[in-house]
Amino acid sequence: MVFNSVVFLFCFLPLALLAYYLVPGRGKNVVLLVESLLFYCWTGVEYLPLIVCLIVFNYLWGLLTARTKAKLKGLLPAVAVLVNLAALVYFKYANFLIDTLNVGAVLPLGISYYIFKIISYEADVYTGKVEAEKDPIAFAAYVLFFPQLIVGPIIKYRDMAPQLHNYKNRCNTALMERGVELFLFGLAKKVILADSIGALWTDIISTGGVGLSNVSTPLAWLGIIAYSLQ
């Protein structure tokens, strides 16, 4: 589900905002998590066990780090980072090799973004910039937060944690106006600028278009610029 699709703009997003607005207090994190799970599973549930296992592992890692004696804390970040990066490397490069053999593998949705979000959380907890999250719903909502799940950006946990724990003043008029403004500007840049500019690069690399073998040097540079702007 892409953000400029009819399904997202006229079905998913209005219902998600309505549910989020109506549910009070702590229930908003639950709603946000459910909506993010629905968004993640929209194209299939094949990789849902992977992200669930990573969320559970890293949530428990945070609690263990908060309770472990100082002499053992140096080992815990290394273990956590290795586990998360191992998942990323496996699914990135194993699928790359499979795809090279024309089997047609599909990467888990947003794996790069949520892995590095998790690692940023681990870094914040280890360095004492934030306390380990004790609420599993809030932690899962941070990892799966659907507006950032497939295209980023990677938001550090310490920047998002205060919002997840603000239970009284999440939906005031000023915040909603700012949200609408950000969404409309982002949508305009995506539809009007990025998609239009990116069409040139797509035409250059596609077999049904110009094709890389037929590209002149000036056109190749123009395509690179178009890709960068996109």
Side-chain angles (χ1 to χ4, degrees):
M1 192 189 319
V2 294
F3 294 140
N4 60 325
S5 66
V6 172
V7 173
F8 181 82
L9 290 174
F10 298 103
C11 295
F12 183 87
L13 184 60
L15 292 173
L17 291 175
L18 180 62
Y20 187 79
Y21 177 77
L22 292 177
V23 173
R26 293 177 178 272
K28 290 189 185 300
N29 284 348
V30 177
V31 169
L32 189 60
L33 177 57
V34 171
E35 292 169 352
S36 297
L37 283 169
L38 290 173
F39 184 89
Y40 186 83
C41 296
W42 188 262
T43 55
V45 297
E46 180 181 0
Y47 291 109
L48 181 60
L50 169 67
I51 195 169
V52 169
C53 287
L54 287 173
I55 287 172
V56 172
F57 170 80
N58 287 282
Y59 169 73
L60 295 176
W61 174 91
L63 297 181
L64 181 62
T65 299
R67 298 178 182 180
T68 302
K69 294 181 179 179
K71 63 181 181 180
L72 295 177
K73 283 188 177 180
L75 179 64
L76 292 176
V79 172
V81 170
L82 284 174
V83 169
N84 289 297
L85 288 182
L88 177 62
V89 169
Y90 174 78
F91 283 100
K92 279 279 189 180
Y93 292 100
N95 280 327
F96 171 77
L97 293 173
I98 293 171
D99 192 49
T100 302
L101 298 173
N102 296 319
V103 178
V106 179
L107 285 174
L109 182 67
I111 186 170
S112 297
Y113 294 110
Y114 66 72
I115 288 290
F116 285 111
K117 283 175 72 176
I118 288 172
I119 291 175
S120 76
Y121 165 76
E122 293 166 350
D124 282 351
V125 172
Y126 179 68
T127 56
K129 293 177 180 177
V130 296
E131 293 183 359
E133 178 57 67
K134 296 180 176 62
D135 183 352
I137 300 297
F139 180 71
Y142 162 71
V143 176
L144 280 166
F145 188 51
F146 74 85
Q148 302 165 351
L149 185 59
I150 58 174
V151 293
I154 299 169
I155 300 297
K156 293 180 179 179
Y157 176 75
R158 64 176 180 265
D159 295 329
M160 194 168 171
Q163 301 175 57
L164 290 172
H165 292 282
N166 176 14
Y167 302 120
K168 296 180 180 180
N169 195 32
R170 280 204 200 177
C171 291
N172 61 52
T173 304
L175 288 175
M176 287 190 282
E177 288 177 354
R178 179 60 176 154
V180 170
E181 179 185 346
L182 285 171
F183 184 81
L184 290 178
F185 273 105
L187 186 63
K189 287 190 287 185
K190 159 69 177 168
V191 175
I192 299 173
L193 295 178
D195 287 355
S196 300
I197 294 170
L200 173 61
W201 174 250
T202 302
D203 187 54
I204 289 173
I205 63 172
S206 64
T207 54
V210 176
L212 287 174
S213 59
N214 302 318
V215 173
S216 64
T217 300
L219 184 57
W221 275 108
L222 188 60
I224 291 170
I225 293 170
Y227 180 76
S228 301
L229 292 172
Q230 180 195 25

